[in-house]
């Protein structure tokens, strides 16, 4: 960090300062936060790395069991009351009017007047030695009940999808902050220098509402942002060389580009230039490693069947399998987004008795297969698998005519 | 003549008054017993149940208002001695838990005017109340040891994270720092400290970095005592490296799935004193004496897929 500041200050003229006004905010942040940090007198952790290796691994502050994270985010927020949060008492009040005490001073999206209550829609049973309640919508997950930790105390003050997702991923409902994966790769780096430390896989009908900032790097250097992989064609755009371009020719072009970028850095002194050089170098190494990581057709028929994955047909199952392949390659943070969980019944695909059932079926088998597979490969004990959402369901039916 | 007699009477009466006052106060009475009659000092023994379990509960919930400087209700709970003396209402410990004012006040519902700690403060857990109750039932002793309270609830486990103090860690790392730095230069990705707060290291074989081979182990020679985790998944390592591994006295975790280490070699890992976990290829499980691993307190996990 010191290095970074020094180089920036040394090279900067007033004109360049104004030119780079996009960075003005981050400069202001450094100006206000840095002296305060120095004055505080506490030991600050050093996150500096060689400019050419932004992803060099750093040890965590305390010894940790977890070496990598697979984070599955269900965009649109599945109803916990149909999956893990069993409410037998609510079933008794199914269809009755919601008591006023529950509604006073509260605001619910799409609800007006006095709504009636809705009981659990699917049957629940206890599973495993822990006796965790899981509904019949996730039958494959039942056998993993004792390996799961359910956190039911999460709270949000956001009631719209996009801000809630941004809050869940960056800790702030407003945009501009680094995402959880960006912080992780910034703080810990990544073991594999030939692949991005933070990879993002998206499935479902469209991107999550929060957009790219869910895996953005905010005010951190752009080297730490998530690399979104496409589900069709090249997983990463322009990963393969164009026709008639050999690997050595690509090397030649990159060397030329590097020279020019170095010159640019000499005159401007913008560290983002060095980040860019590092990115190009990684992309070159990635051509080999990533094409291999994304070739799920190499998997045995048995494995493909276990996940329910079909090469060439993008799905959450494929992404789960890819997540395992990336985990095997020591990628630090792997994020999966699945869109289409907003089950408040505006249409058939968003209904608890249709779309929701399909979505459950799409994720149940792959997640279970992923857990089994991680175990069979000795990766389960140092991989943290998170399944989460950004909003929780409430139990009010909409009043007629809304 | 009268003056002398008068003096004697006044002296006698004031002495009487003083002794009455002293005997009225348990602290004074105890002091007299100890200094004038040579009784043993009233205090809890260091290995007593009180010191181990009860004192910390008082410290957590009571001592803020019942200490030397601030003794509400004239009650102090900052030591066994003071607890025995009681407060304005007299003895608080009682003969057993049912007659104890202390426990009665602690058990009142939180919103009761007399509840202790008062409304708004953190309250004792059920286990903590149980500990106090058991202690009172056995006569609120300052000498009975933990052995007398075999059925007491387990002590709460508190995980404390020490603040990051680079100087202290640097001191701990010093004996091997040079060797580790040298290795890190050669294997920047494979050799890492477990944490910023640790002097132990972790060695990992990574598919995308230079391989950890038998040859690499000869270079590890000088850092063997500080290796705590060794992940050799799919590394081209053979029985030749075994002597090095057996010298890693701090080793707690080893992953040797997909390596060429033989079953007899792996069996020898039970001699590593700190080892807690081994990940091994499933095909080798039959050749290993699983019972011996269990006896050594080592968890053995099998890995089905190798070399994918």
């Amino acid at each position: 960090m010191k290095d970074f500041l020094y180089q920036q200050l040394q090279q900067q003229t007033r004109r360049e300062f104004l030119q780079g006004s996009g960075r003005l905010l981050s400069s202001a942040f450094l100006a206000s936060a840095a002296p305060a940090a120095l004055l505080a007198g506490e030991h600050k952790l050093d996150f500096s790395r060689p400019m050419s290796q932004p992803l060099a691994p750093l040890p965590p502050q305390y010894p940790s069991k977890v070496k990598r994270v697979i984070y599955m985010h269900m965009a649109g927020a599945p109803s916990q009351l149909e999956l893990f949060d069993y409410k037998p008492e609510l079933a008794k009040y199914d269809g009755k009017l919601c008591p006023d005490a529950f509604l006073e001073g509260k605001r619910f999206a799409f609800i007006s007047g006095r709504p009636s209550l809705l009981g659990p829609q699917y049957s629940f049973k206890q599973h495993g030695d822990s006796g965790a309640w899981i509904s019949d919508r996730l039958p494959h997950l039942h056998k993993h009940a004792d390996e799961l930790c359910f956190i039911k105390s999460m709270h949000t003050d956001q009631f719209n999808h996009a801000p809630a997702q941004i809050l869940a991923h960056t800790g702030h409902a407003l945009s501009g902050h680094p995402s959880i994966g960006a912080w992780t790769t910034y703080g810990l780096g990544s073991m594999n220098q030939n692949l991005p430390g933070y990879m993002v896989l998206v499935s479902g009908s469209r991107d999550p509402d929060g957009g790219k900032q869910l895996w953005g790097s905010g005010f951190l250097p752009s080297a730490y942002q998530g690399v979104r992989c496409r589900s069709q064609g090249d997983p990463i755009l322009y990963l393969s060389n164009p026709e008639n371009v050999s690997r050595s020719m690509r090397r030649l072009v990159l060397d030329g580009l590097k020279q020019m970028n170095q010159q640019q850095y000499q005159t401007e002194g913008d560290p983002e230039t060095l980040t860019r050089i590092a990115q190009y170098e990684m992309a070159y190494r990635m051509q080999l490693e990533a094409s291999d990581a994304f070739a799920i057709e190499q998997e045995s028929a048995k494995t493909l069947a276990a996940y329910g994955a079909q090469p060439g047909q993008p799905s959450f199952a494929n992404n789960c399998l890819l997540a395992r392949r990336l985990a095997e390659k020591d990628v630090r943070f792997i994020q999966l987004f699945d869109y289409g969980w907003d089950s408040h019944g505006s249409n058939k695909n968003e209904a608890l008795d249709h779309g929701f059932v399909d979505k459950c079926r799409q994720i149940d088998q792959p997640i279970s297969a992923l857990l089994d597979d991680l175990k069979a490969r000795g990766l389960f004990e140092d991989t943290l698998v998170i399944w989460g959402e950004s909003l929780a369901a409430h139990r009010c039916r909409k009043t007629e005519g809304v | 003549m009268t003056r002398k007699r008068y003096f004697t009477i006044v002296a006698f009466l004031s002495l009487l008054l003083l002794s009455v006052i002293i005997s009225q106060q348990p602290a004074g009475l105890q002091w007299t017993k100890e200094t004038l009659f040579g009784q043993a000092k009233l205090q809890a023994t260091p290995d007593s149940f009180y010191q181990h379990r009860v004192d910390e509960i008082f410290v957590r919930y009571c001592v803020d208002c019942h200490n030397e400087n601030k003794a509400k209700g004239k009650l102090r709970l900052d030591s066994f001695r003071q607890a025995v003396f009681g407060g304005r209402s007299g003895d608080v410990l009682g003969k057993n838990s049912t007659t104890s004012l202390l426990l009665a006040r602690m058990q009142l519902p939180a919103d009761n005017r007399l509840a202790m700690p008062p409304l708004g403060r953190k309250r004792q857990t059920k286990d903590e109340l149980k500990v106090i109750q058991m202690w009172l039932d056995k006569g609120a002793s300052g000498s009975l040891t933990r052995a007398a309270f075999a059925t007491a609830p387990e002590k709460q486990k508190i995980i404390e994270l020490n603040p990051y103090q680079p100087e202290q860690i640097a001191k701990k790392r010093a004996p091997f720092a040079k060797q580790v730095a040298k290795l890190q230069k050669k294997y920047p990705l494979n050799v890492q400290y477990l944490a910023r707060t640790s002097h132990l290291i972790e060695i990992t074989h990574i598919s995308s970095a230079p391989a950890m081979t038998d040859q690499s182990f000869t270079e590890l020679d000088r850092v063997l005592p500080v290796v705590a985790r060794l992940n050799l998944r799919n590394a081209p390592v053979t029985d030749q490296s075994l002597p090095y591994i057996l010298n890693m006295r701090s080793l707690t975790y080893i992953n040797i799935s997909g390596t060429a280490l033989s079953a007899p070699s792996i069996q020898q890992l039970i001699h590593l004193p700190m080892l807690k976990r081994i990940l091994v290829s499933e095909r080798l499980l039959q050749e290993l004496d699983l019972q011996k691993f269990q006896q050594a307190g080592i968890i053995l996990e099998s890995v089905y897929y190798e070399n994918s």
Side-chain angles (χ1 to χ4, degrees), chain B residues 239-298:
Chain B
D239 285 343
Q240 273 181 36
S241 296
L242 183 72
Y244 296 100
I245 297 176
L246 289 178
N247 271 318
M248 297 177 174
R249 313 305 288 176
S250 315
L251 199 68
T252 55
Y253 166 93
I254 186 169
N255 185 342
I256 34 175
S257 61
T259 63
L261 280 166
S262 65
S265 299
I266 296 170
Q267 191 69 47
Q268 288 191 52
L269 294 177
I270 56 168
H271 300 302
L272 282 167
M274 309 285 282
L275 195 60
K276 295 270 150 30
R277 211 178 195 87
I278 304 180
L279 265 78
V280 64
S281 303
E282 196 170 72
R283 64 189 156 83
L284 289 175
L285 273 191
Q286 304 161 336
E287 301 170 47
L288 295 172
D289 187 349
L290 302 182
Q291 214 176 355
K292 284 216 171 112
F293 284 98
Q294 206 176 5
Q295 280 165 2
I298 297 172

Side-chain angles (χ1 to χ4, degrees), chain A residues 43-47 56-65 67-68 187 190-194 289 300 302-303 324 327-330 373 375-379 381-382, chain B residues 161-167 173 188-190 192-198 202 204-209 229 231 233 253 255 257 277 279 301-306 308:
Chain A
H43 297 299
K44 291 289 161 190
L45 301 177
D46 178 16
F47 290 100
L58 291 172
Q61 193 167 356
Y62 300 103
S64 86
K65 245 179 106 177
K67 299 285 172 213
R68 60 192 85 77
S190 187
M191 295 295 262
N192 190 334
Q193 299 293 297
N194 303 344
E289 187 105 6
S300 69
K302 195 176 144 205
T303 310
R324 192 223 79 212
E328 247 178 338
K329 293 200 173 284
D330 291 303
D373 210 7
K375 241 185 272 177
R377 284 162 210 271
L379 293 168
E381 55 157 37
D382 52 6
Chain B
L161 295 174
N162 301 319
Y164 173 54
Q165 289 169 319
E167 301 86 14
R173 285 181 181 179
L189 299 169
N190 310 70
Q192 294 280 336
Y193 281 105
L194 278 194
R196 289 174 190 263
T197 46
S198 172
E202 169 168 25
T204 319
H205 168 73
I206 309 167
S207 55
S208 58
R229 285 174 64 94
N231 188 342
R233 196 166 74 93
Y253 166 93
N255 185 342
S257 61
R277 211 178 195 87
L279 265 78
E301 279 184 41
S302 62
V303 175
Y304 181 75
Y305 287 108
E306 307 161 23
S308 61

Side-chain angles (χ1 to χ4, degrees), chain B residues 212-228:
Chain B
M212 297 304 295
T213 58
D214 288 332
Q215 178 62 31
S216 335
F217 271 89
T218 58
E219 295 167 57
L220 295 179
D221 205 13
R222 304 283 292 274
V223 299
L224 295 178
V226 284
V227 179

Side-chain angles (χ1 to χ4, degrees), chain A residues 363-380:
Chain A
I363 67 157
D364 178 37
Q365 188 188 344
I367 290 176
S368 173
L370 174 65
L371 296 179
D372 280 333
D373 210 7
L374 288 174
K375 241 185 272 177
R377 284 162 210 271
L379 293 168
F380 188 66

